[in-house]
Amino acid sequence: MMLKEIENRVKDPVRVKAPQSNPLVQALAQFDAATERLHLNPELNAMLRFPKRELTVHFPVRMDDGSVKMFTGYRVQHNVNRGPAKGGIRYDVNVSLDEVQALAMWMTWKCALMNIPFGGAKGGVIVDTRQLSSAELERLTRRYTMEIASIIGPESDIPAPDINTNAQVMAWIMDAYSIQCGRTVPAVVTGKPVSIGGSVGRTEATGRGVFIATREGCRVHGIPLKGARVIIQGFGNVGSVTASLLAQAGCKIVGLADVYGAIYNENGIDVNKALHAIKTSGRLEDVPNVEKLSGSDLLEQPSDILIPAAIAGQLTAANARYIQTKLIVEAANGPTTQEADAIFRERGIPVIPDILANAGGVVVSYFEWVQDLQHFFWSLEEVNTRLEQMMTQSFTAVQAICEEQQCDYRMGAYLIAVARVAEATRIRSLP
Ligand code: NAD
C-alpha cells in the first residue's frame, strides 16, 4: 500500500518532467518524498530544504606563462544543527552552484544517517585540472582557500577530497589556512597526508565502505560474492579501491570505465593491471586483453553488481530498462535519477543509496578530525574496525526500517537521516 503511494508520487508528472541533469532537482525530490512519508511539518520542510550559507567566489590565478586567469568557486553549508559542516571539494568543469547545493544537502543526510556529529557542506571550483600544471593547481588551491577561509575551520566547516582533489590538495588547503591563522591547524581539512595529521585508512575509506555495503547487500539478496560479475563506472580513488577489495573477496571485475571510455572482459579484468595503466598512462584503455566499449554501453552489459563510482545522473530513464544487474551500489553521489529509481523499484533491482554506500569516507574523516583535535592517533586496525562497525550498524538500521515500512533502501536511509536532522533543528528551535 505504502509502496504504491511512493510509486504514484514518483510518477507525478511535475517530477517526471523535472530536468534530470540537475542534481538539485533530484536531491529535493528525494527529500520531499521522505518528508511526506515522515509527515514532517511544512515549516521544518522549508527550513531543511534551503542551504544555511552559500558563498560564490571569483578569483585570479597566475598561470605558468605569466598570464592571469579568473576562476569561479563555491562553498555551500547546507545544515549545521548537528555539528560543524563537513564535505568535499570538487574540481571539475561541470561544477555549478546547484550541483554544490545538492552535494551539500546529501552530506547533511549522510552524516546524520551515520550518526556522526556533522552537518553537510560541499565546495567546488569550475576548472579542468587536466589543463593545469601542478604549480598552477597549487596556486589555484591556495587562492581558493583564502577566498573561503572566512567560513571554513575545524569548528565550523571541514573540507575533504572529492572528484579531482586528493591528499596533496588537502595539504595545500591546510597550509594556506594555517598561514592565515599564524599556527598549524590540521583539523581544518580531512583526507590529508598522514605526515601532517591525516588518518591512516582515510584514502581507502570510501572504497572500503562501498565494499562493506556491497558485501552486506549481497548477503541480504543471496548473491554469492565469490564469482560475482562486477561493473564499476569510475576508476579514481573510490572506484579503484572498491575494485581491489571486491577482487580480493573473489568477485570477477568484468567492466571498468573512466572519463575516456570503458573496458570489458567477461572472464575478468586484472585490477592490478588496471591500476598500473592508470599510474603509467592515466587511461584504462591501455589495459591489455580487454574489449573497448563506450562508457554508456558498459553500464548495460550483464553483471551481478553494478557500481557507479564517477559522477551524478548516470542511471536515468533512458538506460534503466536496459541495465542487466542484480544489485546497484551507489559509490558516486547522485548517480541515479528519480525516474531510474522508480524503474529499478518496478524491476525489483535493489539500489543501495549513496548516503549509505559511500559514507565510509566521511566516517573516517570524522575519525581523522577527532584524532587531530586530540593529537592522538589510531592504528589502521582501529580505524578499519570502527569503520566496519559503523557501516554494518547503519546498513542493519536501514534494512530494519525498510522491512518495517515496506520501502526501498533509499527511502529507508532518508527516513532515518531526515528525522535526525529535523529533530535537531526542532529542538534547537528558532531564536
Ligand atoms: P576521482 O577524481 O578520484 O575519480 C573519478 C573517476 O571517475 C575517474 O576515474 C574519472 O575518469 C571517472 N569519470 C569522471 N567522469 C566520468 C564519466 N563521465 N564517465 C565515466 N567515468 C568518469 O574521484 P573520487 O574521489 O573517486 O569520487 C568518485 C565519486 O565518489 C564522486 O561522485 C564523489 O562525489 C564520490 N565520493 C567520493 C568520496 C571520496 O572520499 N573521495 C567520498 C564519498 C563520495
Side-chain angles (χ1 to χ4, degrees), residues 90 103 110 122 161-165 202-203 206 233-239 257-261 295 309-312 314 331-333 358-359 361-362:
R90 173 175 292 196
L103 289 161
K110 195 181 300 179
K122 206 79 180 188
D162 194 75
I163 292 179
N164 294 323
T165 56
R202 171 60 185 89
T203 307
T206 308
Q233 183 201 43
F235 198 67
N237 170 288
V238 180
D258 65 11
V259 70
Y260 302 105
I311 54 171
Q314 296 301 293
N333 284 307
N358 71 28
V362 76

Side-chain angles (χ1 to χ4, degrees), residues 193-260:
V194 172
S195 57
I196 55 168
S199 175
V200 288
R202 171 60 185 89
T203 307
E204 303 80 23
T206 308
R208 182 171 291 280
V210 173
F211 165 73
I212 296 167
T214 307
R215 187 196 65 205
E216 294 301 297
C218 284
R219 182 179 55 74
V220 172
H221 296 282
I223 304 166
L225 267 188
K226 210 163 171 52
R229 296 160 305 163
V230 181
I231 290 178
I232 304 180
Q233 183 201 43
F235 198 67
N237 170 288
V238 180
S240 65
V241 173
T242 305
S244 299
L245 291 173
L246 286 171
Q248 280 165 32
C251 293
K252 197 159 65 170
I253 311 298
V254 294
L256 292 172
D258 65 11
V259 70
Y260 302 105

